[in-house]
């Protein structure tokens, strides 16, 4: 028997009421629970504490003299992998869902925090605690919208559950790490995905309508390593739109302010991270941060095709050029955008260098956003590793 948790409770905030992080709130869900009591310490946008929480989660914070640590966070290993038999309808090959199903089946955990779709709207997130593999599978595929995954934390505590797997993006995981010892759990496993450029449900609509030829049939989309957005439609067709052809002037305010000021793209505090951007096309990119992450990956290892991660090219010129282009909202004509996409795909950064390209372009953009919109937060909110990444480039004022 573990001792009942002792912690303070506060009244959850009412839906739609102002949040402590104001416009920077990513709707992580913490404030929808009585754990809102801890918001000042726990909220990723009120109290950036990646280095301190890395110590708690991984036993050390990232080594700022090790370039791969600076970019990808504390890790034991990184690999590229895909499921030999992909899960139909998953975002990629379904490694995240497969790990969660297997952990439930083996009895390693009693429940999985994940996010299904609300009935009638595939992009409206509905967080849940899945207790069966079927419920986990119902949560497969990205909901590319801010999702209050932590809103189920009260249910975790009330259920008396002792062993939990939480799946989530960086801001959710940062708040979770800050309150995890209040949940009365014997063991918490954290499976993260990278995350960037998320949107509100209304912002998503605008993005789809501005960018896709058939917004109402999009099932999922991803910003791919070939410098195109791939929209998958209901009939299985894939529509590709080059990044450089995006209507950046119209899309500038689509991304949520939280995501424009986030520097935890790689989900630094998860035990295991499953994304795609450091891997060759068709593979997923896996970052094992600690022994717990290793244990999680091992439960599906015999169902994966694995290969080492690689790195090719030099991202820096492309990143430097992207800074003023984004800043001024330049949109290339579609023919030029396609040409540029083809050219960059041939000679451009690949593998880990593509991941660095994406991290650099988002961190420089976000640094400018915070500097211009929340200058009082700049010093505390930008972690040291992000500061070092941004310093490699010339930024406009
Ligand atoms: P699946 O088996 O399909 O499972 C997906 C899991 O994600 C589900 O368990 C679900 O609960 C959870 N989930 C879905 N939507 C959300 C959400 N909004 N918040 C929290 N949890 C959610 N990877 C990169 O390498 N680079 C990126 O730039 C990148 N951007 C991303 C942006 C967003 C908004 C999200 C949600 C993910 C992003 N990822 C990115 C991760 C990547 O797209 C895949 O989610 C990951 O590789 C897992 O694929 P899978 O097939 O194994 O997942
Ligand atoms: Fe609360 Fe989460 Fe919003 Fe911060 S990001 S104010 S913790 S709901």
């Amino acid at each position: 028997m573990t001792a009942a948790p002792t912690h303070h409770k506060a009244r959850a905030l009412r839906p739609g009421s102002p949040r402590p992080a104001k416009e920077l709130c990513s709707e992580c869900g913490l404030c929808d629970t009585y754990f809102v009591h801890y918001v000042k310490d726990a909220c990723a946008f009120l109290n950036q504490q990646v280095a301190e929480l890395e110590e708690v989660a991984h036993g050390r914070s990232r080594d700022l003299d090790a370039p791969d640590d600076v970019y990808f966070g504390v890790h034991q290993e990184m690999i590229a992998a895909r499921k030999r038999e992909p899960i139909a309808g998953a975002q990629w090959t379904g490694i995240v869902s497969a790990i969660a199903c297997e952990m439930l089946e083996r009895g390693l955990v009693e429940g999985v925090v994940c996010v299904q779709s609300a009935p009638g709207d595939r992009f409206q997130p509905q967080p849940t605690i899945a207790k069966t593999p079927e419920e986990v599978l119902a949560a497969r595929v990205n909901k590319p919208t801010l999702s209050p995954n932590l809103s189920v934390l009260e249910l975790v505590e009330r259920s008396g559950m002792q062993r939990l797997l939480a799946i989530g993006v960086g801001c959710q995981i940062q708040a979770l790490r800050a309150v995890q010892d209040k949940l009365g759990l014997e063991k918490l496993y954290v499976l993260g995905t990278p995350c960037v450029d998320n949107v509100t449900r209304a912002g998503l609509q605008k993005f789809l309508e501005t960018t896709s030829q058939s917004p109402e049939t999009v099932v999922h989309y991803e910003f791919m390593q070939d410098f195109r957005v791939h929209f998958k439609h209901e009939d299985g067709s894939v529509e590709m739109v080059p990044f450089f052809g995006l209507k950046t002037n119209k899309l500038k305010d689509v991304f949520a302010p939280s995501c424009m000021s986030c520097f935890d793209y790689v989900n630094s505090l998860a035990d295991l991270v499953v994304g795609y951007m450091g891997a060759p096309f068709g593979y997923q990119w896996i970052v094992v941060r600690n022994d717990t992450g290793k244990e999680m990956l091992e439960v599906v290892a015999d169902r994966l095709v694995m290969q080492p991660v690689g790195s090719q090219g030099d991202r820096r010129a492309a990143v430097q050029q992207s800074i003023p282009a984004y800043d001024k909202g330049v949109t290339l004509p579609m023919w030029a955008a396609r040409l540029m996409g083809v050219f960059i795909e041939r000679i451009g950064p690949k593998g880990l260098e593509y991941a660095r390209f994406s991290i650099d372009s988002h961190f420089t953009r976000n640094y400018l956003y915070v500097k211009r919109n929340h200058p009082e937060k700049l010093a505390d909110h930008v972690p040291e590793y992000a500061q070092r990444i941004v310093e490699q480039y010339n930024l406009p004022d």
Side-chain angles (χ1 to χ4, degrees):
M1 277 282 286
T2 20
T6 49
H7 62 76
H8 298 282
K9 292 178 180 173
R11 192 186 292 255
L13 300 185
R14 273 179 291 109
S17 63
R19 306 278 127 164
K22 305 197 178 94
E23 67 144 359
L24 293 185
C25 171
S26 69
E27 295 168 30
C28 77
L30 188 83
C31 293
D32 303 329
T33 71
Y34 49 60
F35 295 102
V36 63
H37 177 83
Y38 300 99
V39 65
K40 270 201 196 136
D41 171 59
C43 175
F45 303 94
L46 294 175
N47 182 27
Q48 182 282 119
Q49 49 175 338
V50 173
E52 292 80 356
L53 291 174
E54 279 176 335
E55 297 256 6
V56 176
H58 315 311
R60 70 171 180 93
S61 63
R62 66 183 86 193
D63 177 356
L64 294 175
D65 294 322
D68 277 354
D69 261 32
V70 170
Y71 271 87
F72 308 122
V74 174
H75 59 278
Q76 295 181 347
E77 65 171 332
M78 291 194 271
I79 49 162
R82 61 181 166 79
K83 278 201 79 233
R84 211 168 280 123
E85 291 174 28
I87 295 180
Q91 183 72 15
W92 281 79
T93 72
I95 294 179
V96 166
S97 299
I99 291 173
C101 289
E102 191 62 30
M103 288 180 71
L104 275 174
E105 273 173 355
R106 291 192 188 188
L108 287 170
V109 292
E110 295 148 272
V112 178
V113 174
C114 54
V115 50
Q116 300 176 343
S117 302
D121 182 355
R122 65 170 75 93
F123 292 131
Q124 181 69 44
Q126 186 162 289
T128 188
I129 307 170
K131 299 201 179 97
T132 63
E134 292 70 33
E135 288 167 354
V136 168
L137 290 175
R140 72 195 188 283
V141 81
N142 290 357
K143 273 39 96 186
T145 39
L146 301 178
S147 172
N149 282 26
L150 301 187
S151 60
V152 297
L153 282 189
E154 279 185 29
L155 298 178
V156 170
E157 197 195 16
R158 279 203 215 115
S159 69
M161 222 172 251
Q162 292 293 299
R163 305 179 66 83
L164 182 76
L165 168 65
I167 300 173
V169 298
C171 53
Q172 299 157 359
I173 301 308
Q174 197 178 134
L176 175 66
R177 286 296 191 197
V179 300
Q180 73 175 64
D181 60 346
K182 321 278 192 265
L183 299 172
L185 294 170
E186 182 190 299
K187 177 78 183 172
L188 172 69
Y189 293 88
V190 181
L191 177 47
T193 69
C195 183
V196 79
D197 290 350
N198 217 337
V199 287
T200 59
R201 185 66 189 82
L204 175 66
Q205 207 54 37
K206 183 166 173 196
F207 172 68
L208 294 176
E209 281 164 16
T210 330
T211 314
S212 169
Q213 309 253 3
S214 171
E216 63 289 348
T217 59
V218 173
V219 186
H220 75 67
Y221 69 84
E222 192 84 80
F223 286 73
M224 290 286 195
Q225 297 103 318
D226 62 1
F227 298 87
R228 298 183 183 96
V229 190
H230 291 202
F231 291 99
K232 190 160 178 218
H233 291 278
E234 275 166 352
D235 63 0
S237 63
V238 180
E239 174 189 1
M240 300 188 199
V241 180
F243 290 179
F244 307 102
L246 292 179
K247 301 186 179 95
T248 34
N249 50 345
K250 291 204 184 133
L251 292 175
K252 258 192 139 180
D253 50 6
V254 154
F255 302 126
S258 53
C259 307
M260 295 292 289
S261 53
C262 168
F263 297 92
D264 191 21
Y265 194 169
V266 298
N267 212 323
S268 314
L269 302 169
D271 299 312
L272 180 71
V273 179
V274 180
Y276 65 89
M277 65 182 173
F281 191 65
Y283 279 74
Q284 293 187 254
W285 170 56
I286 301 195
V287 185
V288 179
R289 299 209 181 281
N290 56 34
D291 288 344
T292 301
K294 197 166 174 198
E295 182 190 348
M296 292 155 74
L297 182 60
E298 272 166 8
V299 301
V300 295
D302 61 350
R303 279 181 262 160
L304 303 182
V305 180
M306 300 198 204
Q307 65 174 56
V309 281
S311 188
Q312 243 186 61
D314 187 340
R315 73 202 178 275
R316 275 169 289 204
V319 175
Q320 186 63 59
Q321 277 161 21
S322 76
I323 298 170
Y326 187 85
D327 204 35
K328 297 196 187 93
V330 176
T331 304
L332 292 180
M334 197 46 86
W335 64 268
R338 285 195 208 287
L339 203 66
M340 178 112 156
V342 171
F343 181 65
I344 293 220
E345 194 188 348
R346 294 241 170 91
I347 59 141
K350 296 208 169 51
L352 292 179
E353 188 67 1
Y354 175 83
R356 292 185 199 100
F357 164 81
S358 196
I359 292 170
D360 287 355
S361 17
H362 285 96
F363 280 15
T364 47
R365 181 198 71 182
N366 289 7
Y367 185 87
L368 283 175
Y369 179 87
V370 177
K371 188 173 164 197
R372 289 172 183 167
N373 295 283
H374 300 278
E376 74 294 347
K377 287 183 81 74
L378 198 64
D380 291 337
H381 185 66
V382 183
E384 180 63 27
Y385 62 84
Q387 188 78 42
R388 293 194 185 195
I389 288 172
V390 170
E391 274 166 10
Q392 301 172 97
Y393 298 97
N394 295 321
L395 298 191
D397 287 332

